[in-house]
Amino acid sequence: MTGSMNAERDVETLIEGADGSDTLFEYQPGSSLLHRLNPVTKLVCSVGLVLIVFLLPDFRGPLLLSIALFALVAAAGAARSVGTVLVAVGAPLALSLILIQGLFYPENESILVAIGVPVIDQLVFYVEGVEFALLILFRLTVLMIALLGTIITTHPKKMTIALMEKGVSNKIAYVFMAALQFIPQMQERAQSILVAQQARGLDTSATLRQRVRSYIALMSPLLIGTLIATETRALALESRGFTRSGERTYLLEVRDTGFGRALRWLTALAVFAVAGWVIA
Amino acid sequence: MSRIVFENVTYEYRTGESPAVEDIDCEIDSGSFIGIAGPSDAGKSTFCRLVPGYIPHYFDGALDGRTVVGGADIADASIGDLAGQVGMLFENPFDQLTGASTTVLEEVAFGLENLGLGREEIVDRSIESLRRVGIEELIDRNPQRLSGGQSQRVALASVLAMQPDVLVLDEPTSQLDPHGAEAVFDIVANMKSRGYTVIVVSQRLDRLAPHLDRLLVMDDGRIAHDGPPAEVLTEPGIEALVDVPEAVRVGTRLREEGYVDPDDPVALSVEAAISELRPHVETPAADGGTTRQTKPEPGVDESPIDFENVRFEYEGGVEALSGISLSMDAGCVCLVGQNGAGKTTFVKHLNGLLDPTGGAVRIEGTDTRDARVAQLAHHVGLAFQNPNDQLFHESVEAEIRYGPTNLGYDEDRIEEASERAIERLELDDVREDNPYDLGMPRRKLVAVASVLAMDTPIVVLDEPTGGQDAPGIELLGTAVEELVAAGTLVVIITHDVEFARRHADRVIALGAGEVLLDGTPREVFGRAETLAETDVDPPVITRIGARLGLSKTVLSIDGLFDRVD
């Protein structure tokens, strides 16, 4: 072991504590239960929970799960980012769902509330429609919290290592990592292309036709540049043994505990149980 | 040890029309330091790609002959296996990084993970490689957010971690500013003493030549010159192929004029040139700063470019320009200064891409705040550093006609302006080609031509000579002089002080958002101490003159030899 950095812990701290990309979906360091779970366990449980809520026929189950999951995510210190996304996506979704389903759901029978409105007399919201809207809403809420919670409490490097250790190809793992880095890079380059084209007299604030033209002028160099970079990058990866067969090792150790394994089996069991109960 | 042998190697890319390299027959001894120079498209990169086996394993084409590294034919091993023997550093560091690492440590460790090494060894080797290139402190930084020079060193550390004993570097500094280039170069120069075999392709021989055991100059796919650098750089006809270092020019002239025995090998370093010159130069009592800084004249309303106490602050409070007042009237104005000095921010004010947060910029009388960028494009043509941000047409000709068409010129004027631009940058033979089929130096000329074709009274070029070969620099120089003669105001942002020395009428040094110096090249380059504040070195010939204690600032070899007797 070297002098300045010996313990395994140090490498882990170094990687997890490094500066990120400052996005909402970024990994947030921590040591909560969620943080310590094996990433694959988190993925399996997330998928399991999503399956379960889509099987459940009534909105109360998904509602309870949403609350429980949010508490778990909040305990991991991710309440703010997850909450922000939930409000930003969930609020408009809730409004439109309740409006449309509450008024027009085909199986509407029992009146929940009738609001007097001039011109069209009154708006009638039905119980069946509103309950259906809530069912869809909380199914989606569970999906968002589970996936966001997983992403925010899992360092991408650990995610890829965990996946590769479970037999996922290193190419797929690479694509996952690269995709995360890709968006901010593309934004930066799009900005410099925009500037270069404006300098050549491209008018971006003119008629629709000109705007379509400017779109081409912006997208083409972006795509061509990406393709060139991709080719060189493929070579760079190759030269670092990326396509080499044989055993790989990983910079970090991602632990998989008995508890995690039990949790995965439990999730699978729960999915089957719910499926059986719904069908029966 | 890895002796490299090329046996009659000829290679033609599948998309090529003629062989990229032809009949390469050459042996490179283990532990030697080899430089490769020559014009673009001469086959230098192809030569490089043969050593780590990228040809024939990655590139598609027809290979004849054999390349043998360390006794084994590269055709028999995979790229991944050869990586433990030969490491290659690419021109653009950003393409060499995996793009899948959140920290520098992960980046350097990437290859080692693929080799299946133990965790401790991965960490040890990664740290050792980072230490070797002097950037251990960057270990937890995001690789996407480093400067060019830092990225290139991370890329080099990633290559070194694989523990090759041959290093191939293909123009490793062409995308870097002088500061970053210097840092990379210092490391490379040390590689030989650590026992590596080093092959470096570079256009800039000034720094490289003194370290080389041997220099190969390629032309048209063949090795045209091969030998010790002092011999190769004085062979007849070499001027057309490479940018001969100033020190060698001085040495050659000393021999031609009989001051030094013509049989003595020519000096390669600036130091050596100075000691050869010293006995023949009368040094007056050195009074150093005989040049003074000229105050820029107060802005006249008619000046094409007029900056009035311009300030610019980026969101977040970083002040990039802190009160710049100047006007530009005519000629070739070169802007120099370190990265972060405000050069790019300055340029973006010239066509309204940025509006000042204080003061005013007027272009031919129009306040840039009152006009859109597209309108200002009628007055100012601006070519950015990276041609890939700019080019998107299927042919060079269409690319060049795009700007003038945008400006709404009539067909005659579009035709005339485009043809003149094509002629000026000698692009006639490739006018039907896709710009992306051309090498980077030529592609860069297309980008410049596409801006010249806009036929604007003001032309602004951002780093036009970066990564350019010797003939390309020559061509750009001539084009600039012609434009100036025709009355165009040419503004050039450059790290290339040699270009500024040869072509500028006026040099402005920016530092920390302020004008440090503003005057003729002689006035500005004579003030080495002030230039050092913004990390700019005066041209080599000027430095030689200053070191000899000449009272007048020297800007050319002729000027220097006026003092020799």
Side-chain angles (χ1 to χ4, degrees):
Chain A
M1 297 204 178
T2 49
S4 62
M5 170 150 351
N6 14 48
E8 167 98 9
R9 235 340 111 183
D10 285 347
V11 176
E12 196 168 330
T13 319
L14 183 151
I15 290 177
E16 296 202 337
D19 277 356
S21 50
D22 299 328
T23 57
L24 208 53
F25 305 111
E26 193 185 11
Y27 169 71
Q28 289 170 3
S31 57
S32 71
L33 172 69
L34 267 186
H35 281 91
R36 277 176 285 136
L37 275 184
N38 183 289
V40 172
T41 306
K42 281 185 258 191
L43 276 182
V44 169
C45 292
S46 298
V47 173
L49 284 172
V50 170
L51 285 176
I52 288 172
V53 292
F54 274 82
L55 285 168
L56 288 174
D58 184 275
F59 79 91
R60 284 168 202 94
L63 170 63
L64 282 177
L65 271 173
S66 296
I67 296 170
L69 270 180
F70 192 80
L72 200 63
V73 170
R80 223 176 57 113
S81 352
V82 176
T84 313
V85 177
L86 281 186
V87 172
V89 181
L93 193 71
L95 196 71
S96 57
L97 275 173
I98 290 175
L99 223 73
I100 292 170
Q101 303 296 348
L103 296 172
F104 308 118
Y105 185 56
E107 288 163 37
N108 277 347
E109 270 177 17
S110 342
I111 295 174
L112 178 71
V113 60
I115 305 164
V117 180
V119 187
I120 56 161
D121 197 18
Q122 59 175 7
L123 278 177
V124 184
F125 286 92
Y126 294 86
V127 176
E128 291 81 4
V130 171
E131 285 190 351
F132 182 71
L134 291 176
L135 175 63
I136 296 181
L137 180 69
F138 288 116
R139 278 173 175 172
L140 294 174
T141 309
V142 166
L143 183 129
M144 284 192 287
I145 303 180
L147 291 182
L148 279 175
T150 304
I151 292 172
I152 288 171
T153 60
T154 312
H155 192 276
K157 178 77 181 170
K158 280 193 166 175
M159 175 70 87
T160 55
I161 292 176
L163 287 172
M164 287 191 280
E165 281 182 343
K166 293 279 176 283
V168 171
S169 122
N170 66 328
K171 290 181 186 99
I172 291 173
Y174 171 80
V175 168
F176 172 79
M177 278 296 273
L180 288 180
Q181 306 268 341
F182 195 58
I183 295 160
Q185 272 179 54
M186 285 304 244
Q187 282 171 337
E188 239 167 71
R189 235 183 83 75
Q191 190 55 40
S192 50
I193 292 170
L194 175 68
V195 163
Q197 303 300 14
Q198 280 181 302
R200 289 168 86 198
L202 180 77
D203 206 335
T204 47
S205 53
T207 62
L208 184 69
R209 195 171 147 264
Q210 276 171 308
R211 283 191 194 207
V212 171
R213 273 185 32 165
S214 56
Y215 189 71
I216 297 169
L218 295 181
M219 287 312 289
S220 319
L222 193 62
L223 289 177
I224 296 167
T226 308
L227 288 177
I228 292 177
T230 308
E231 195 181 345
T232 329
R233 188 159 280 170
L235 186 54
L237 291 177
E238 187 107 346
S239 73
R240 285 157 78 182
F242 183 61
T243 54
R244 203 172 163 278
S245 52
E247 205 196 339
R248 284 186 161 69
T249 45
Y250 307 105
L251 190 56
L252 296 178
E253 188 187 350
V254 181
R255 285 167 202 84
D256 196 9
T257 56
F259 174 66
R261 269 191 295 278
L263 212 54
R264 293 202 293 271
W265 282 112
L266 211 66
T267 307
L269 222 62
V271 173
F272 283 112
V274 171
W277 176 70
V278 171
I279 292 164
Chain B
M1 284 276 111
S2 302
R3 185 181 159 76
I4 303 161
V5 184
F6 293 85
E7 289 172 10
N8 272 315
V9 176
T10 297
Y11 183 78
E12 183 171 342
Y13 292 96
R14 193 171 52 80
T15 51
E17 281 159 19
S18 61
V21 293
E22 231 175 328
D23 293 331
I24 301 288
D25 225 349
C26 154
E27 294 181 15
I28 292 170
D29 289 332
S30 188
S32 57
F33 195 158
I34 310 283
I36 300 181
S40 54
D41 302 327
K44 304 187 299 293
S45 289
T46 307
F47 184 96
C48 288
R49 286 167 180 167
L50 283 160
V51 185
Y54 297 170
I55 293 174
H57 298 297
Y58 184 84
F59 291 93
D60 211 1
L63 174 69
D64 241 9
R66 286 193 336 146
T67 310
V68 178
V69 177
D73 192 329
I74 52 156
D76 300 334
S78 73
I79 290 177
D81 293 335
L82 280 162
Q85 200 172 6
V86 184
M88 179 153 163
L89 192 66
F90 303 166
E91 181 170 359
N92 188 341
F94 299 104
D95 296 347
Q96 184 154 18
L97 301 181
T98 58
S101 309
T102 59
T103 59
V104 165
L105 175 63
E106 290 162 67
E107 182 63 43
V108 178
F110 185 86
L112 305 176
E113 293 180 311
N114 290 332
L115 291 183
L117 301 175
R119 199 162 287 140
E120 270 175 39
E121 192 178 356
I122 292 181
V123 176
D124 285 352
R125 269 214 218 174
S126 304
I127 292 173
E128 172 56 27
S129 307
L130 286 171
R131 196 175 286 153
R132 214 166 253 208
V133 299
I135 50 167
E136 204 187 346
E137 75 280 3
L138 298 182
I139 192 162
D140 63 346
R141 296 277 297 279
N142 184 334
Q144 313 290 337
R145 294 199 186 165
L146 301 176
S147 71
Q150 288 171 331
S151 304
Q152 191 60 296
R153 282 191 277 174
V154 171
L156 182 56
S158 311
V159 170
L160 292 181
M162 306 293 279
Q163 298 188 334
D165 45 26
V166 179
L167 268 178
V168 183
L169 305 102
D170 189 359
E171 307 244 19
T173 62
S174 74
Q175 306 282 314
L176 310 181
D177 62 83
H179 207 69
E182 191 95 346
V184 169
F185 193 83
D186 282 342
I187 298 157
V188 174
N190 269 321
M191 289 280 133
K192 184 191 141 114
S193 59
R194 292 177 180 273
Y196 289 98
T197 307
V198 186
I199 301 174
V200 190
V201 175
S202 181
Q203 300 287 354
R204 303 295 148 99
L205 292 171
D206 262 324
R207 287 287 319 271
L208 189 61
H211 300 275
L212 295 177
D213 296 319
R214 181 171 161 199
L215 177 62
L216 305 181
V217 176
M218 297 193 69
D219 187 23
D220 211 12
R222 293 167 189 272
I223 297 176
H225 301 264
D226 180 359
E231 279 172 27
V232 169
L233 289 171
T234 48
E235 276 166 19
I238 197 75
E239 296 262 350
L241 300 177
V242 303
D243 194 7
V244 175
E246 296 292 339
V248 174
R249 289 177 199 267
V250 169
T252 309
R253 180 107 169 226
L254 281 171
R255 282 157 185 74
E256 280 168 6
E257 298 192 1
Y259 294 106
V260 175
D261 183 350
D263 292 333
D264 278 359
V266 80
L268 293 171
S269 70
V270 171
E271 288 304 317
I274 290 170
S275 31
E276 280 191 352
L277 269 168
R278 203 178 288 282
H280 309 287
V281 176
E282 259 187 77
T283 30
D287 53 354
T290 55
T291 49
R292 77 216 128 65
Q293 181 186 1
T294 48
K295 276 273 162 245
E297 280 155 35
V300 190
D301 279 346
E302 282 81 58
S303 286
I305 297 177
D306 188 25
F307 275 56
E308 191 187 303
N309 197 23
V310 172
R311 294 176 173 277
F312 186 79
E313 199 179 297
Y314 282 98
E315 273 173 52
V318 181
E319 194 175 59
L321 299 179
S322 12
I324 289 191
S325 292
L326 55 83
S327 54
M328 298 182 188
D329 295 300
C332 170
V333 182
C334 283
L335 241 65
V336 300
Q338 71 195 127
N339 285 349
K343 301 194 299 291
T344 303
T345 310
F346 182 92
V347 165
K348 286 185 173 172
H349 278 80
L350 292 175
N351 66 348
L353 286 169
L354 292 177
D355 285 333
T357 50
V361 176
R362 276 180 294 273
I363 301 299
E364 301 202 304
T366 308
D367 190 313
T368 54
R369 270 175 294 216
D370 301 335
R372 289 209 306 270
V373 178
Q375 292 164 332
L376 288 166
H378 286 268
H379 305 278
V380 182
L382 203 168
F384 282 96
Q385 200 169 347
N386 185 355
N388 296 356
D389 287 348
Q390 201 174 310
L391 306 177
F392 64 98
H393 287 94
E394 281 182 7
S395 75
V396 167
E397 189 171 352
E399 198 64 67
I400 291 172
R401 294 172 67 96
Y402 174 75
T405 309
N406 262 341
L407 297 183
Y409 293 159
D410 61 45
E411 185 51 38
D412 286 347
R413 187 162 174 202
I414 295 174
E415 179 72 16
E416 193 201 320
S418 306
E419 287 308 312
R420 195 164 52 225
I422 288 174
E423 190 188 327
R424 273 209 173 117
L425 293 169
E426 295 182 0
L427 296 166
D428 195 41
D429 58 320
V430 291
R431 65 163 71 220
E432 305 293 331
D433 293 10
N434 187 316
Y436 287 93
D437 288 339
L438 307 175
M440 195 54 155
R442 207 87 194 274
R443 203 184 308 154
K444 212 159 168 168
L445 294 179
V446 175
V448 171
S450 75
V451 167
L452 296 192
M454 289 163 67
D455 202 15
T456 49
I458 304 169
V459 168
V460 184
L461 308 174
D462 192 352
E463 293 296 346
T465 60
Q468 199 56 259
D469 56 1
I473 292 177
E474 192 71 37
L475 200 57
L476 280 166
T478 315
V480 166
E481 306 246 314
E482 280 173 14
L483 285 170
V484 167
T488 307
L489 169 59
V490 182
V491 181
I492 299 177
I493 295 89
T494 189
H495 286 301
D496 186 349
V497 288
E498 299 298 335
F499 190 84
R501 168 178 78 78
R502 282 179 218 170
H503 304 290
D505 299 304
R506 174 174 168 192
V507 177
I508 299 173
L510 289 183
E514 290 179 32
V515 175
L516 292 181
L517 294 168
D518 183 353
T520 63
R522 174 158 286 126
E523 287 164 344
V524 172
F525 290 138
R527 312 234 326 176
E529 265 175 46
T530 315
L531 283 175
E533 284 172 34
T534 189
D535 266 339
V536 173
D537 281 335
V540 173
I541 207 78
T542 311
R543 275 172 12 222
I544 292 178
R547 286 280 305 280
L548 290 169
L550 301 179
S551 58
K552 193 160 171 282
T553 304
V554 183
L555 276 186
S556 65
I557 293 209
D558 288 339
L560 181 67
F561 274 80
D562 286 347
R563 303 311 186 89
V564 173
D565 54 15

